[in-house]
Amino acid sequence: MLESLVAGDDEASVIALATLRSGATYWVGDRAQPAGVHAGVFKRRLQRMRMHGFEPLGLERAVQLIREHGRPVRTGLIDAADRTWTTLVFLTEDGALVACAGWPLPLVARKPPL
């Protein structure tokens, strides 16, 4: 089911779909939180990552899309089977994709798993 949600054409969605198809595990939260809370938290995380010289794929755009969405969102994580990549997904209360972002694990510069 999650595969159909991350079928977007942005780079983070393409990587999320490839990761899922290669045996990734995933988790999606049951409870939605206000969009402003998520946008604020992940804007700060983006700033901290950048301070350390790391640019997560799609996180700046995800923060923007969450703010524009303006309604509560749920979060989820998709972890590559080999634990080299993680994708963060933001979903509406009824399960539609708002945005996703990803980064390699551990947080070091690496190519996406495509």
Side-chain angles (χ1 to χ4, degrees):
M1 165 149 152
L2 193 55
E3 283 187 29
S4 64
L5 296 177
V6 296
D9 59 358
D10 62 289
E11 191 175 4
S13 295
V14 170
I15 292 170
L17 183 58
T19 304
L20 279 169
R21 289 183 174 164
S22 67
T25 58
Y26 64 90
W27 166 88
V28 175
D30 293 327
R31 202 171 122 209
Q33 298 289 327
V37 170
H38 282 302
V41 166
F42 287 98
K43 180 180 179 184
R44 286 188 299 278
R45 288 186 185 177
L46 175 61
Q47 290 168 340
R48 282 196 309 264
M49 288 178 172
R50 286 177 170 166
M51 281 180 15
H52 294 285
F54 184 74
E55 184 66 34
L57 182 63
L59 189 54
E60 182 173 19
R61 177 80 174 133
V63 169
Q64 176 186 351
L65 290 171
I66 293 164
R67 281 195 195 285
E68 289 173 6
H69 177 67
R71 293 181 302 280
V73 292
R74 297 185 299 157
T75 56
L77 289 172
I78 303 169
D79 292 318
D82 63 2
R83 305 290 296 157
T84 59
W85 189 264
T86 194
T87 299
L88 176 64
V89 294
F90 297 94
L91 306 168
T92 64
E93 290 180 283
D94 60 355
L97 183 70
V98 175
C100 67
W103 51 86
L105 295 174
L107 289 176
V108 295
R110 228 187 263 181
K111 289 186 178 182
L114 289 178

